[in-house]
């Protein structure tokens, strides 16, 4: 029988069901709808907690207590609903709205998602959010000063116009900022080595390296005052 024939047969079967059968079929559908709705309610609860005290003092839905965690991101304590298997890149982008962290490969190859965790560059697509609870996370949004003054590394990019599409830029900047903490005055060759875990699809490596070297110089000058 064709698929169309099958579907006709099932409508007929549904029509022919006794009243009790129809009621069971409908309640099963309602049951499934209920599960989907409650799943959505649980996953969106993090936003409610972040923005209001609507559920304050009430019992949390089952399992949510373990998922509600506090992260230190860019110097702020951020309450977030994160699943156990959720990556830091996803949490930053889709729960905390920090979309400066880019997702390129999503499998630890391109470096677009690099953030600092306790001052060390990490691919945030390969770090589970729950593992960074007691640590300090810094994203590209956390580099500029509160008054809007750019970080010396960001200024270096502007000074040298170092990128084409700039999709990879936040990752390169965060990696360089982390690298310079251990080697503040690198040679061009050393910095190229330090950035070798970051890829640029526009293949603008020479200009990027020039911009990063300029940023490093800006940073040394800023530290001298
Ligand atoms: S998106 Fe994380 S390394 Fe590519
Ligand atoms: S400038 Fe386009 S991906 Fe790097």
């Amino acid at each position: 029988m064709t698929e169309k024939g099958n579907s006709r047969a099932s409508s007929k079967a549904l029509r022919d069901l006794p009243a009790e059968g129809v009621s069971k079929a409908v309640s099963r559908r309602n049951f499934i709808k209920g599960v989907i709705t409650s799943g959505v309610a649980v996953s969106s609860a993090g936003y409610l907690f972040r923005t209001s005290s609507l559920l304050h003092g009430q019992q949390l839905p089952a399992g949510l207590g373990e998922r509600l965690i506090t992260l230190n991101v860019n110097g702020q304590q951020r309450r977030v609903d994160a699943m156990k298997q959720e990556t830091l890149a996803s949490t930053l982008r889709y729960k905390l709205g920090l979309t400066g962290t880019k997702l390129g490969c999503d499998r630890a190859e391109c470096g677009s998602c690099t953030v600092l965790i306790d001052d060390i560059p990490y691919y945030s697509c390969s770090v589970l959010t729950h593992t960074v609870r007691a640590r300090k996370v810094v994203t590209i949004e956390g580099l500029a000063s509160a008054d809007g003054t750019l970080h010396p590394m960001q200024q270096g990019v502007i000074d040298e116009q170092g990128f084409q599409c700039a999709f990879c830029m936040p990752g390169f900047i965060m990696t360089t900022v982390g690298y310079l903490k251990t080697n503040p005055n690198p040679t061009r060759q050393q910095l190229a080595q330090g950035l070798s875990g970051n890829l640029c699809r526009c293949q603008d490596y020479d200009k990027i390296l020039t911009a990063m070297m300029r940023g490093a110089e800006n940073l040394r000058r800023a530290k001298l005052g």
Side-chain angles (χ1 to χ4, degrees):
M1 188 181 289
T2 62
E3 198 177 305
K4 208 168 168 188
N6 264 330
S7 125
R8 256 196 232 117
S10 4
S11 328
K12 181 173 180 320
L14 191 59
R15 262 200 322 273
D16 293 346
L17 270 176
E20 190 192 321
V22 170
S23 132
K24 271 190 190 152
V26 170
S27 39
R28 183 168 175 276
R29 189 177 306 136
N30 283 344
F31 170 75
I32 292 168
K33 272 163 71 182
V35 169
I36 292 168
T37 314
S38 61
V40 169
V42 168
S43 58
S44 62
Y47 298 100
L48 292 177
F49 288 123
R50 190 151 57 84
T51 54
S52 79
S53 56
L54 196 61
L55 298 180
H56 185 70
Q58 293 182 24
Q59 199 174 7
L60 299 179
L64 188 55
E66 299 149 28
R67 293 190 355 193
L68 272 177
I69 56 176
T70 303
L71 300 179
N72 182 331
V73 182
N74 298 332
Q76 292 183 328
Q77 298 296 313
R78 301 291 302 268
R79 197 89 166 122
V80 67
D81 170 11
M83 292 176 290
K84 293 284 184 192
Q85 72 275 25
E86 189 169 311
T87 65
L88 181 58
S90 292
T91 305
L92 292 171
R93 287 180 57 80
Y94 306 122
K95 302 278 177 70
L96 299 180
L98 297 170
T99 53
T101 299
K102 302 300 179 197
L103 265 177
C105 65
D106 206 6
R107 55 178 187 183
E109 283 180 4
C110 72
S112 302
C113 62
T114 304
V115 301
L116 299 184
I117 301 174
D118 290 342
D119 287 342
I120 297 170
Y122 279 86
Y123 293 157
S124 62
C125 70
S126 304
V127 173
L128 292 176
T129 304
H130 276 252
T131 64
V132 301
R133 276 187 282 186
R135 305 172 73 182
K136 281 191 291 182
V137 178
V138 178
T139 69
I140 189 78
E141 290 91 345
L143 290 188
S145 310
D147 66 2
T149 306
L150 292 178
H151 185 281
M153 189 56 57
Q154 293 170 309
Q155 189 57 50
V157 171
I158 290 178
D159 294 343
E160 297 292 342
Q161 297 289 297
F163 291 81
Q164 286 190 38
C165 78
F167 181 86
C168 63
M169 183 177 69
F172 271 96
I173 291 178
M174 297 313 291
T175 304
T176 308
V177 170
Y179 177 83
L180 294 176
K181 289 182 190 289
T182 56
N183 182 6
N185 192 7
T187 63
R188 194 173 171 91
Q189 182 68 32
Q190 286 170 333
L191 189 53
Q193 180 84 32
L195 290 171
S196 58
N198 288 69
L199 302 179
C200 169
R201 273 182 293 186
C202 301
Q203 304 205 1
D204 211 9
Y205 292 111
D206 197 49
K207 267 168 67 189
I208 291 173
L209 197 49
T210 300
M212 296 297 103
M213 287 296 284
R214 177 68 169 264
E217 189 186 326
N218 290 347
L219 192 57
R220 288 193 296 276
R221 283 212 187 117
K223 283 192 174 150
L224 289 175

